[in-house]
Amino acid sequence: VAEWISRMTHGNAQQVTKIMSLLDPQKVEKFVKPFLSFISRVPESDILRNSVLLLDGAKVIEFCQNLSLNILETFTKKLNDGSSLIHKFAHGAAQNSFNIILYHLPEDQLKFSDEILLDNCGQNPLMTAIGNTGAFFEITSRAKRQGDLGRLLAHRDKFGWSCLRWACRVDNLKVVKTLIGNKDMALDWSSDLDPQGRTLIHLVSSTGHAHILRYLLTLDQQLGFKVTKTTCHQGMTCLHAACLFG
């Protein structure tokens, strides 16, 4: 029944609510409502598929409110792939859509560094927002207000990668400059090593992100090119990495 409702209404919250009002209340509570919550079925389920895939925050919130779903629980519960809806929206939603989601997630009940928001790879929403500049700044602004920014930035995922390393990897120079140059963040980029002992200059040399490489080399010049001369555990310098992969 729930699957049929979702297909016939295409996830329209008002139509779903109207149809459900015609059903046996006990069956709705026991079978239909849990299915429609899409807490553990997105994105495989057809429920609100378009709204979720299109990252339409307003429609998802409307759907939750019409079905009296707990919005905080809905957005923090793990999906089949180990992430949450917060991860999905942080990764690709437009800033206004992401802001709608944040507005309905109380600051006193949720911090982005909370362990409940780590996906199967150990990544928090800030790491998934690295390529989405608007979401990145919204998350860091909230974390600063909560006094949680340091903890959020210091986190490393199961691969030993920091948010700064991911920013270099996805080629987001604006975020890289913010993480290093902003006085509230000021991450020590020169000591950021992965488990193989590779520096950030190793990374961007191997990925071919030339503008980030130029920025880091300018910073490293002030350190006497200390980072540039660093070798990883395999004995490779950043020049080796550039020749092999970049």
Side-chain angles (χ1 to χ4, degrees):
V1 173
E3 192 71 46
W4 176 82
I5 291 175
S6 69
R7 291 180 186 278
M8 295 300 292
T9 62
H10 302 288
N12 181 284
Q14 291 183 337
Q15 292 184 33
V16 170
T17 304
K18 186 175 180 179
I19 292 175
M20 288 178 64
S21 68
L22 303 176
L23 302 176
D24 183 335
Q26 291 185 343
K27 290 183 178 179
V28 168
E29 192 66 31
K30 187 174 181 181
F31 300 110
V32 182
K33 196 171 179 180
F35 185 91
L36 288 173
S37 70
F38 61 84
I39 288 175
S40 62
R41 297 290 300 273
V42 173
E44 290 78 12
S45 171
D46 284 333
I47 307 300
L48 272 186
R49 186 180 183 85
N50 291 336
S51 297
V52 172
L53 293 182
L54 293 175
L55 300 175
D56 188 333
K59 284 189 176 181
V60 176
I61 293 296
E62 179 193 8
F63 187 84
C64 291
Q65 291 173 335
N66 275 275
L67 293 180
S68 301
L69 301 176
N70 184 303
I71 294 176
L72 180 62
E73 181 179 314
T74 298
F75 276 87
T76 55
K77 272 291 186 73
K78 285 188 182 295
L79 307 175
N80 288 350
D81 61 1
S83 65
S84 66
L85 284 185
I86 292 181
H87 287 87
K88 304 292 185 190
F89 277 81
H91 177 71
Q95 186 168 354
N96 63 332
S97 184
F98 190 66
N99 287 347
I100 291 172
I101 299 300
L102 289 187
Y103 177 79
H104 289 87
L105 299 175
E107 290 195 19
D108 61 342
Q109 296 181 30
L110 180 70
K111 292 183 177 180
F112 285 106
S113 64
D114 289 346
E115 192 169 332
I116 191 176
L117 289 182
L118 297 181
D119 65 14
N120 287 352
C121 294
Q123 294 183 350
N124 56 40
L126 180 64
M127 289 178 164
T128 58
I130 287 297
N132 186 1
T133 305
F136 168 84
F137 284 110
E138 291 298 330
I139 291 174
T140 52
S141 295
R142 172 179 280 211
K144 181 182 176 182
R145 292 194 301 270
Q146 295 173 318
D148 195 46
L149 184 58
R151 182 184 174 200
L152 187 65
L153 294 173
H155 176 74
R156 288 181 178 264
D157 61 21
K158 291 184 178 180
F159 307 107
W161 281 39
S162 64
C163 57
L164 177 56
R165 184 167 290 270
W166 277 112
C168 291
R169 180 66 183 84
V170 302
D171 197 22
N172 194 329
L173 180 59
K174 184 175 182 179
V175 168
V176 170
K177 286 185 173 181
T178 301
L179 289 170
I180 295 175
N182 188 294
K183 66 178 182 179
D184 294 318
M185 303 182 192
L187 296 184
D188 183 9
W189 72 275
S190 64
S191 63
D192 191 310
L193 303 176
D194 69 7
Q196 287 73 44
R198 293 174 295 204
T199 67
L200 295 180
I201 294 183
H202 277 99
L203 173 62
V204 294
S205 296
S206 64
T207 56
H209 299 329
H211 53 304
I212 294 182
L213 177 59
R214 283 193 290 269
Y215 171 67
L216 294 181
L217 288 175
T218 300
L219 297 179
D220 199 30
Q221 185 176 12
Q222 303 170 19
L223 302 176
F225 292 108
K226 179 188 72 172
V227 182
T228 306
K229 298 173 184 176
T230 301
T231 58
C232 68
H233 297 335
Q234 295 176 318
M236 291 200 309
T237 65
C238 59
L239 181 59
H240 290 121
C243 291
L244 286 172
F245 309 110

